[in-house]
């Protein structure tokens, strides 16, 4: 099982084709991205250095990592089909090399790509996204944070916050309510027309507030006022955990966010959970798609490479479609984020196993 010349030959073809294809695709995407956003850059007077260094240098690893599994799939289909048409695979198998042994350099190459993708997704890209997202928020008006509606938070074991809406323009929560509950009984309820975050003091400024302390029987205490400053374990950052901010969190920060949101009963925790599982499932998909591609394209076909490419594209696009459906299952609360995110990999792993079994025949 030592490394042979054949192994190096396939590994060089695999990684070489992958790097060239991913590089060409990245250049094409950057050209289209520049043509789409050039008006925004000019209108916002974005400096050339910021465009190149802050945005595109941080955008390249983000994009390359996002589409690396599909690029692996298509490149393996192309160069394996070409090897089959040139009778190279027939010659390899005729020399006594089994199909399973021939798969070894493919799997080694796919594992290299998967490990690199996982490392980028867990540690490198989140740091790069901090600069990229800051640039988009400043110079791309379509990247603004949206308003929030009907938000519920659990602050401590007995404190619950509800707000009807939150405006990112003035950092204000409207129809704010803070309830304190003990042993299934309401202790106090604080209601306010609005609650605005004060970045200097780190407190919330409540306007037109009303507090009712519940006592035994009819002994309730009622207080009210026009303005009240209060400190809560709820900061402005808690309202900005959307797709943009989650992309900036590394593995440790992601786990901390998920633990905090679960403790608070925050319904938006599903987005962080999806992102966490996707950082592991996406690199693994490169290995699964490699097995499918080799199993499909290792046989020489009379019609040439066209059939292999057509089947490969169909499977590739269907994988992307299933991945989008899995997000719908989470958003509609049909399936937990962990199960839904891994459904495409599980399904295509079964397809890969079937094709791998019948390929030698």
């Amino acid at each position: 099982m030592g490394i042979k010349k054949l192994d190096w030959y396939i590994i060089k073809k695999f990684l070489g084709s992958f790097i060239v294809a991913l590089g060409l695709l990245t250049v094409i995407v950057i050209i289209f991205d520049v043509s789409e956003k050039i008006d925004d850059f000019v209108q916002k007077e974005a400096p050339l250095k910021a465009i190149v260094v802050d945005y595109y240098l941080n955008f390249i690893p983000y994009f390359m990592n996002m589409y690396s599994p599909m690029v692996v799939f298509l490149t393996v289909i192309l160069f394996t089909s070409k090897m089959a048409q040139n009778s190279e695979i027939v010659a390899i198998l005729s020399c006594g090399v089994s199909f399973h042994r021939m798969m070894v350099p493919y799997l080694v190459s796919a594992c290299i790509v998967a490990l690199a993708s996982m490392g980028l997704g867990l540690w490198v890209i989140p740091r790069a996204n901090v600069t990229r997202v800051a640039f988009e928020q400043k110079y791309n008006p379509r990247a603004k944070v949206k308003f929030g509606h009907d938000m519920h938070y659990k602050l401590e074991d007995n404190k619950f916050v509800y707000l009807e809406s939150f405006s990112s323009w003035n950092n204000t929560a409207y129809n704010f309510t803070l309830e304190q509950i003990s042993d299934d009984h309401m202790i106090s309820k604080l209601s306010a027309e609005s609650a605005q975050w004060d970045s200097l003091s780190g407190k919330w400024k409540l306007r037109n507030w009303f507090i009712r302390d519940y006592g035994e029987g009819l002994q309730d205490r009622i207080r009210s006022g026009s303005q009240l400053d209060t400190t809560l374990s709820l900061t402005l950052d808690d309202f900005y955990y959307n797709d943009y901010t989650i992309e900036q969190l590394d593995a440790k920060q992601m786990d901390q966010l998920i633990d905090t949101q679960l403790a608070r009963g925050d319904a938006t925790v599903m987005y962080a959970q999806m992102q966490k599982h996707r950082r592991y499932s996406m690199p693994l998909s490169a290995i699964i798609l490699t097995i499918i591609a080799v199993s499909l394209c290792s046989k020489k076909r009379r019609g040439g490479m066209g059939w292999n490419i057509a089947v490969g594209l169909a499977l590739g696009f269907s994988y992307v479609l299933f991945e989008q459906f899995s997000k719908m299952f989470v958003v509609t609360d049909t399936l937990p984020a962990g199960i839904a995110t891994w459904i495409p990999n599980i399904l295509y792993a079964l397809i890969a196993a079937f094709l791998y079994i019948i390929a030698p025949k």
Side-chain angles (χ1 to χ4, degrees), residues 135-163:
F135 178 91
E136 287 185 337
Q137 295 290 339
K138 185 176 182 180
Y139 297 109
N140 184 6
R142 288 183 290 275
K144 296 296 183 182
V145 179
K146 297 181 180 180
F147 295 164
H149 296 277
D150 293 328
M151 297 180 178
H152 298 264
Y153 295 96
K154 180 180 179 182
L155 303 186
E156 285 89 25
D157 291 338
N158 60 346
K159 290 185 179 180
F160 300 85
V161 166
Y162 166 78
L163 50 107

Side-chain angles (χ1 to χ4, degrees), residues 56-301:
Y56 281 109
L57 285 184
N58 293 300
F59 172 79
I60 289 173
Y62 169 78
F63 173 81
M64 293 174 68
N65 191 60
M66 180 186 299
Y67 290 99
S68 60
M70 293 307 302
V71 175
V72 164
F73 186 52
L74 295 177
T75 54
V76 171
I77 287 176
L78 289 173
F79 85 79
T80 304
S81 297
K82 188 175 180 180
M83 288 176 62
Q85 292 304 120
N86 294 337
S87 300
E88 293 180 64
I89 293 181
V90 173
I92 292 171
L93 299 177
S94 300
C95 292
V97 179
S98 67
F99 180 80
H100 308 295
R101 177 62 181 86
M102 189 186 72
M103 281 291 301
V104 171
Y106 281 99
L107 294 177
V108 170
S109 302
C111 288
I112 292 174
V113 174
L115 291 175
S117 175
M118 188 176 296
L120 287 172
L122 291 176
W123 296 288
V124 178
I125 293 177
R127 296 178 183 177
N129 282 342
V130 174
T131 306
R132 180 182 66 84
V133 171
F135 178 91
E136 287 185 337
Q137 295 290 339
K138 185 176 182 180
Y139 297 109
N140 184 6
R142 288 183 290 275
K144 296 296 183 182
V145 179
K146 297 181 180 180
F147 295 164
H149 296 277
D150 293 328
M151 297 180 178
H152 298 264
Y153 295 96
K154 180 180 179 182
L155 303 186
E156 285 89 25
D157 291 338
N158 60 346
K159 290 185 179 180
F160 300 85
V161 166
Y162 166 78
L163 50 107
E164 185 178 274
S165 63
F166 176 79
S167 172
S168 62
W169 303 108
N170 55 4
N171 298 326
T172 301
Y174 296 97
N175 290 337
F176 177 89
T177 300
L178 173 64
E179 297 177 343
Q180 186 172 355
I181 300 175
S182 178
D183 297 328
D184 298 328
H185 295 285
M186 183 82 72
I187 297 178
S188 66
K189 181 176 181 179
L190 167 62
S191 301
E193 183 179 293
S194 65
Q196 186 175 34
W197 173 256
D198 186 351
S199 59
L200 296 178
S201 63
K203 296 181 179 180
W204 291 93
K205 292 185 176 293
L206 308 183
R207 291 183 175 83
N208 297 329
W209 57 275
F210 178 93
I211 299 178
R212 183 169 185 171
D213 297 316
Y214 294 88
E216 297 182 359
L218 300 177
Q219 299 177 358
D220 295 347
R221 181 186 177 190
I222 299 175
R223 293 169 288 159
S224 62
S226 59
Q227 183 169 323
L228 175 68
D229 293 350
T230 184
T231 302
L232 302 172
S233 58
L234 183 70
T235 65
L236 192 64
D237 292 338
D238 294 309
F239 297 98
Y240 286 84
Y241 283 124
N242 57 8
D243 289 340
Y244 292 108
T245 51
I246 291 175
E247 290 174 352
Q248 304 174 52
L249 304 179
D250 59 27
K252 183 177 180 181
Q253 293 170 335
M254 184 76 72
D255 290 335
Q256 292 174 347
L257 172 63
I258 291 174
D259 292 340
T260 301
Q261 289 183 322
L262 287 175
R264 290 178 173 176
D266 191 345
T268 61
V269 68
M270 59 184 174
Y271 298 107
Q273 290 174 329
M274 280 194 297
Q275 182 66 233
K276 176 184 177 179
H277 287 285
R278 193 169 184 273
R279 291 181 181 181
Y280 293 98
S281 65
M282 188 177 67
L284 183 60
S285 66
I287 301 175
I288 297 172
L289 294 174
T290 295
I291 297 174
I292 293 176
V294 178
S295 300
L296 280 174
C297 304
S298 56
K299 183 178 179 181
K300 185 175 182 179
R301 300 184 185 277

Side-chain angles (χ1 to χ4, degrees), residues 321-332:
L321 183 63
F322 274 110
E323 191 177 37
Q324 296 303 316
F325 275 128
S326 68
K327 295 179 182 179
M328 289 176 46
F329 293 147
V330 179
V331 174
T332 58

Side-chain angles (χ1 to χ4, degrees), residues 19-32:
I19 293 172
V20 171
L22 191 59
L24 290 175
L25 181 62
T26 303
V27 171
I28 294 172
V29 169
I30 289 177
I31 292 173
F32 278 101

